[in-house]
Amino acid sequence: MYRKLFLALMIILILAFGIVTLCVLEYTDDIVYNNLVSAYQLSLSSDVYMFEQRLNHAKNYLLSLAINEDVQNTMQEIATSDTDVFEDSEYIARMQYAGNQLLAGTSGYKISYYPISSDGDIYERKDGSYTINQDLVHAPWYEKTISKNGTVGWSYIILDGIKYIRMTSLIHSTSAWEHSIGIVAVDMNFSLLSTQLCVGNLGKTGIAYLFDENGNQMYPYAQLNISSETLRQLITEKVVIDNENMLIYSVVKPFGWYVIGSIPMKEIVSKSTEVRNRILITASVTVLVTMVVVFLFSYFFYRPIKYLAKTMRRQANTPQLIMIPKSINGEMRLLYESYNNMTEKINKLIDDIYASTNREKEIELKLLQSQINPHFLYNTLDSVGWLSLRYNALDIYEITLSLGNMLRYGLNGGHELISVEKELAQVDSYINIQRFRYDNNFTADYDVDDEVASCQIIHFILQPLVENAIVHGFEEFKGRKHIHISIKRNDNTLRIGVYNTGRAADLEKIEKILSGDIPDTQSYGIRNVNERLTKRYGVQSRLTFLKSAPRDYSTAAEIQIPLTEEVSNNV
């Protein structure tokens, strides 16, 4: 049993882990791929954003210097001079100071000024002074600056063997904006700038390629071979798989440049394989650990159950169940306690059944003995009746006859059920006796459907109600004293009612008597009737005293008995 339980648990666990692992592995590639694409896109966007910030700083420096008062004054001074060489002066010092102040605390930037005279000559700073250098007119950056006419332009230059990105702008005179008085240039060390795109955020072997607005590759020196069709697709979809590489597209906003990140697919696959291997290792270790835990759990869990089963089999041939020692803790202790409680209750029930059997035998014997006394009393009353008739004592004869009838109906052959007809005969005998006692000062009548005469009801339920009406309703009452007994069939219900004139009943007190809250010995009869009714027919047949009695009556007691097969009999 233990091995079967263990093997069943193992099979279930291995199947469950296997199914879960296969499902996880099924979606691992997609999950890893999507996560890596999102991570690479976010990393490339972050690098491009920092790159844009460096360019925007340079652009802001350029525009600030173009309208700087010291730069304007110096450019105006040189533009209006008639000399080919302009020595350093206070104006030039102020202009250089303005640039130095702007670049304070930054690195990788270099500012150059190129004044333009009214004759169109361009000056360049060399050896501490500004001299005319008309060769600059043919430089690509100069031509692009002139074509931009005041907006920011850019180009490549090489100074002292170092590659720079040069951002330039024409300086217009603030007093006469149509006149160009010079050019201001901010040079950015390209090697320092490009490192912003090469911080290793595209994996171990991923590379970021920088292109200008015309599609010319600016960085790195190794060329990215990509077809125009692939480029169009990349611009639209942002992520494309091209041959053995994943390509990611991002735009450098200030100049319309763009960056393409290239990550080898084998690196992405290797990451996916790494994740899959980790999942398999984790699943394997989990299965092994679970097997050990299940083995220990099933062993320690099964052992007390096996002991309990063995004890239960051993008790099959014993008259009294044996209690199990509570030598364990946890849930099994609760199971043992429950079993012991059940055993204790069963043993007690066995003892009760044995004692009840003995009591039943004693009761049967006493019942047989008790039946002798009523029969003897009935025979005695019959003799008294004949003697009273012999001596012409008719009143005594009638009382004796009524009492004998009550006694005979009360015995009812030892049966609990009696017909409605016989129950009414018993009540009529009781009323005859009470008429002699109260000197015929009350009347009684009956309203009974013929079809209910044979209905079987528990006996002795009407007499206590009639007695209650006479004792509590008529005593010390001077008006008309009358009792009305009604037994009617109402659909599937037998409705019994006892109504009387006289003093109205204390309904609150009666309710307490019926519920047992008031141990009134004088009202024991109605409480007994109520208890027998509810036990036999249910709470819907309980004895009820109406709050509002029918017209001409002060008290109304009603009983409703369902017309079951037992009650209906021949109806």
Side-chain angles (χ1 to χ4, degrees):
M1 179 65 182
Y2 166 68
R3 294 185 183 90
K4 291 180 180 178
L5 177 64
F6 176 71
L7 288 175
L9 289 173
M10 285 299 97
I11 292 172
I12 292 172
L13 286 172
I14 290 173
L15 285 175
F17 274 112
I19 293 172
V20 172
T21 302
L22 289 175
C23 292
V24 171
L25 293 177
E26 182 74 20
Y27 295 104
T28 295
D29 291 339
D30 290 338
I31 294 172
V32 172
Y33 175 79
N34 292 331
N35 287 342
L36 285 176
V37 168
S38 298
Y40 289 148
Q41 283 184 306
L42 183 62
S43 298
L44 186 62
S45 297
S46 177
D47 293 343
V48 169
Y49 174 76
M50 297 302 296
F51 185 76
E52 289 174 350
Q53 294 301 306
R54 296 290 297 268
L55 295 178
N56 284 327
H57 288 159
K59 182 178 179 181
N60 292 335
Y61 296 155
L62 192 69
L63 297 177
S64 296
L65 291 172
I67 60 174
N68 183 272
E69 183 180 358
D70 291 327
V71 173
Q72 284 276 330
N73 292 336
T74 304
M75 290 292 185
Q76 191 71 35
E77 182 70 19
I78 297 175
T80 56
S81 66
D82 296 329
T83 60
D84 294 339
V85 178
F86 195 85
E87 299 293 340
D88 281 352
S89 65
E90 182 180 354
Y91 287 107
I92 294 176
R94 287 181 180 178
M95 183 175 66
Q96 294 297 127
Y97 179 76
N100 293 336
Q101 283 291 103
L102 196 63
L103 296 179
T106 62
S107 61
Y109 297 100
K110 182 179 179 182
I111 296 177
S112 300
Y113 302 98
Y114 299 92
I116 299 176
S117 69
S118 56
D119 297 331
D121 297 327
I122 183 169
Y123 290 81
E124 180 182 16
R125 182 179 174 84
K126 285 185 178 180
D127 301 326
S129 61
Y130 280 91
T131 58
I132 295 176
N133 184 359
Q134 288 299 109
D135 293 336
L136 294 178
V137 175
H138 304 291
W141 65 267
Y142 179 84
E143 293 176 353
K144 184 175 289 189
T145 304
I146 296 300
S147 65
K148 290 289 184 177
N149 193 27
T151 59
V152 176
W154 71 272
S155 57
Y156 288 119
I157 64 169
I158 297 177
L159 299 175
D160 302 328
I162 299 174
K163 188 176 182 180
Y164 287 89
I165 292 179
R166 166 163 284 189
M167 299 181 71
T168 58
S169 177
L170 276 174
I171 301 176
H172 293 275
S173 174
T174 55
S175 58
W177 190 255
E178 66 276 8
H179 297 300
S180 299
I181 58 176
I183 296 174
V184 61
V186 176
D187 300 327
M188 293 168 285
N189 189 320
F190 189 78
S191 60
L192 293 177
L193 188 63
S194 61
T195 55
Q196 191 68 53
L197 299 175
C198 305
V199 293
N201 290 333
L202 296 180
K204 296 179 181 179
T205 56
I207 301 174
Y209 296 87
L210 178 63
F211 294 84
D212 63 17
E213 72 275 17
N214 297 318
N216 300 315
Q217 184 174 321
M218 300 167 61
Y219 177 86
Y221 297 109
Q223 290 294 312
L224 175 64
N225 296 320
I226 179 172
S227 66
S228 57
E229 181 180 352
T230 302
L231 180 60
R232 285 194 297 270
Q233 182 182 1
L234 183 61
I235 292 172
T236 303
E237 299 178 7
K238 307 303 180 186
V239 178
V240 171
I241 303 299
D242 182 40
N243 296 326
E244 297 180 354
N245 297 302
M246 175 196 290
L247 303 179
I248 301 175
Y249 178 84
S250 184
V251 176
V252 182
K253 294 177 182 178
F255 304 109
W257 301 346
Y258 58 91
V259 178
I260 297 177
S262 176
I263 306 99
M265 286 301 297
K266 62 181 180 181
E267 181 174 340
I268 297 175
V269 172
S270 67
K271 289 183 180 294
S272 177
T273 303
E274 182 182 349
V275 173
R276 291 167 67 93
N277 292 337
R278 287 181 181 177
I279 292 173
L280 288 172
I281 293 172
T282 303
S284 301
V285 172
T286 303
V287 169
L288 291 174
V289 172
T290 304
M291 289 177 66
V292 174
V293 171
V294 168
F295 174 78
L296 296 174
F297 173 78
S298 58
Y299 174 74
F300 287 108
F301 183 78
Y302 174 71
R303 187 174 63 172
I305 295 179
K306 182 178 180 182
Y307 176 72
L308 178 60
K310 188 186 295 184
T311 303
M312 293 175 70
R313 284 195 298 268
R314 195 169 67 244
Q315 296 186 122
N317 300 319
T318 58
Q320 287 283 346
L321 301 182
I322 305 169
M323 307 286 280
I324 299 179
K326 303 173 185 176
S327 57
I328 59 174
N329 296 318
E331 289 78 5
M332 289 298 104
R333 181 180 178 86
L334 180 62
L335 180 62
Y336 277 24
E337 288 177 352
S338 299
Y339 175 80
N340 286 338
N341 291 336
M342 180 188 70
T343 300
E344 185 178 357
K345 290 179 180 179
I346 292 174
N347 288 336
K348 186 176 182 302
L349 185 59
I350 292 172
D351 293 339
D352 290 344
I353 292 173
Y354 180 75
S356 177
T357 304
N358 290 337
R359 283 197 302 271
E360 285 180 2
K361 290 180 179 179
E362 292 177 2
I363 290 171
E364 287 178 1
L365 181 60
K366 290 181 179 180
L367 183 61
L368 290 173
Q369 291 173 348
S370 65
Q371 286 180 354
I372 297 173
N373 294 331
H375 279 289
F376 173 74
L377 181 59
Y378 174 74
N379 291 334
T380 302
L381 288 172
D382 190 53
S383 299
V384 173
W386 282 107
L387 284 173
S388 60
L389 190 61
R390 177 184 296 180
Y391 291 102
N392 202 27
L394 298 180
D395 290 348
I396 296 174
Y397 172 76
E398 292 227 5
I399 293 174
T400 305
L401 183 62
S402 296
L403 184 58
N405 289 337
M406 283 190 64
L407 187 59
R408 184 171 68 253
Y409 290 133
L411 291 173
N412 196 33
H415 303 295
E416 185 179 4
L417 297 179
I418 190 172
S419 69
V420 171
E421 183 180 11
K422 290 183 179 180
E423 180 73 4
L424 287 172
Q426 183 184 23
V427 171
D428 191 57
S429 296
Y430 174 75
I431 290 174
N432 283 335
I433 294 171
Q434 294 300 324
R435 280 191 179 129
F436 283 105
R437 178 183 175 186
Y438 289 98
D439 197 20
N440 286 320
N441 68 345
F442 70 90
T443 58
D445 66 352
Y446 303 90
D447 183 11
V448 182
D449 289 346
D450 294 337
E451 61 179 332
V452 302
S454 60
C455 288
Q456 299 292 309
I457 59 175
I458 57 175
H459 75 291
F460 209 67
I461 59 173
L462 286 177
Q463 186 272 331
L465 301 181
V466 173
E467 180 183 0
N468 185 74
I470 295 172
V471 173
H472 297 286
F474 294 165
E475 286 188 0
E476 300 181 4
F477 182 69
K478 304 300 182 181
R480 176 174 172 264
K481 301 174 183 177
H482 180 69
I483 298 174
H484 175 69
I485 299 173
S486 171
I487 303 178
K488 298 283 187 180
R489 177 174 181 170
N490 184 13
D491 293 332
N492 294 323
T493 303
L494 187 65
R495 184 171 181 176
I496 301 172
V498 177
Y499 311 94
N500 65 274
T501 60
R503 291 188 303 164
D506 186 348
L507 299 183
E508 184 176 352
K509 181 179 180 181
I510 288 177
E511 188 63 32
K512 291 182 179 179
I513 291 171
L514 294 179
S515 62
D517 294 340
I518 299 179
D520 192 339
T521 55
Q522 293 181 349
S523 300
Y524 173 77
I526 62 172
R527 185 165 70 246
N528 177 270
V529 169
N530 185 60
E531 290 176 356
R532 290 192 296 128
L533 285 169
T534 54
K535 287 179 181 178
R536 187 76 181 193
Y537 305 113
V539 293
Q540 71 272 15
S541 296
R542 68 190 298 270
L543 176 59
T544 304
F545 281 81
L546 303 182
K547 293 182 179 180
S548 178
R551 185 177 178 183
D552 298 331
Y553 296 101
S554 59
T555 303
E558 289 189 354
I559 301 168
Q560 297 193 44
I561 298 175
L563 282 174
T564 60
E565 184 177 352
E566 177 189 62
V567 176
S568 299
N569 198 11
N570 297 322
V571 176

